[in-house]
Amino acid sequence: MNGYELCGRIKEMHASSDVSVVLVTTLSDPHDVIRGLECRADNFILKPYDADRLLRRIQFVLVNSQMRRANNRHGLGNRVQRPETLHYGGPTADLNLLLSTYEAAMQRNAELSSTRDTLRLTNLELQRLTRELEDRVLLRTSELELSNEALRQAQQALIQQERLRALGQMASGIAHRLNNAISPIRSYRIVLEREPP
């Protein structure tokens, strides 16, 4: 059985009809309030809850229960007629349940507002971090482009140096061959210059 059924059974039994029942619920469905009224619950508390809030709610319910018993002993009990289909706990109990429901709704609203504010701040921080990351990526991209350009220029200079070195070796080889070819001619010229004609 669920909590509503348990509460209804407790309230139906004559020996336990004065027992105060606090429903611990998520109140995710609007019909939860009506179901709480129908089973004559004394109060609601929302899940998740902290111990202090639970203790304050139980103290509130106990004080109201004592006041209701005192009023009944003095003849000040509930004389308001209700429709046959509903067996609510009387105006005071109904009002207490509705007030606790309102308080629970206000608590949920405050939690949602806090969550919304936290989410807004988180989104702003995320946007800031995204912009910062984009700036870093852009900076790194620019640095990489500059590095790539410097590397390309260094590679071009290295290729040019290699070409010049190869050209120098080729020129040296040609000069050596020319020297080798001219050397005998030079030697003959020297000999011819020494001999008289």
Side-chain angles (χ1 to χ4, degrees):
M1 92 177 53
N2 64 31
Y4 298 106
E5 293 167 343
L6 177 62
C7 178
R9 292 231 181 127
I10 291 171
K11 295 294 184 170
E12 286 171 3
M13 296 170 37
H14 181 69
S16 62
S17 63
D18 285 343
V19 171
S20 297
V21 178
V22 177
L23 297 175
V24 180
T25 180
T26 58
L27 268 185
S28 56
D29 184 355
H31 295 99
D32 288 346
V33 176
I34 301 299
R35 290 170 66 191
L37 287 169
E38 288 173 343
C39 72
R40 299 181 359 207
D42 293 286
N43 221 301
F44 277 111
I45 189 161
L46 286 181
K47 291 179 191 173
Y49 58 87
D50 59 62
D52 291 337
R53 183 179 295 271
L54 179 62
L55 288 176
R56 284 193 308 270
R57 185 60 55 90
I58 290 171
Q59 288 171 346
F60 174 80
V61 168
L62 291 175
V63 167
N64 279 333
S65 176
Q66 289 171 354
M67 288 173 51
R68 215 173 32 245
R69 284 187 196 120
N71 286 342
N72 285 337
R73 278 194 301 263
H74 299 314
L76 302 173
N78 178 15
R79 291 196 174 95
V80 176
Q81 296 296 318
R82 293 282 181 174
E84 289 290 320
T85 57
L86 298 177
H87 303 287
Y88 297 167
T92 304
D94 292 353
L95 182 60
N96 285 336
L97 186 64
L98 290 174
L99 286 174
S100 70
T101 304
Y102 176 75
E103 181 186 343
M106 293 302 291
Q107 176 189 348
R108 186 69 73 199
N109 186 45
E111 290 169 359
L112 289 173
S113 293
S114 175
T115 303
R116 183 198 63 221
D117 293 343
T118 302
L119 183 60
R120 185 179 58 78
L121 291 174
T122 303
N123 280 336
L124 289 173
E125 179 66 13
L126 184 60
Q127 289 172 358
R128 185 189 68 75
L129 290 173
T130 301
R131 281 192 305 271
E132 186 178 304
L133 183 60
E134 287 171 349
D135 291 345
R136 284 183 181 178
V137 167
L138 189 59
L139 180 64
R140 292 288 184 205
T141 302
S142 297
E143 289 173 355
L144 282 174
E145 287 174 356
L146 289 174
S147 295
N148 284 340
E149 180 61 25
L151 186 60
R152 189 184 62 75
Q153 288 177 359
Q155 187 179 21
Q156 289 295 329
L158 192 60
I159 290 171
Q160 188 66 21
Q161 284 178 350
E162 188 60 32
R163 284 181 186 161
L164 289 174
R165 189 183 67 77
L167 188 61
Q169 283 180 344
M170 187 176 75
S172 174
I174 291 173
H176 182 69
R177 288 187 180 182
L178 280 175
N179 244 351
N180 285 344
I182 294 176
S183 221
I185 296 172
R186 201 179 298 151
S187 296
Y188 288 127
R189 182 185 64 104
I190 292 173
V191 170
L192 288 175
E193 284 179 353
R194 284 189 214 159
E195 288 184 14

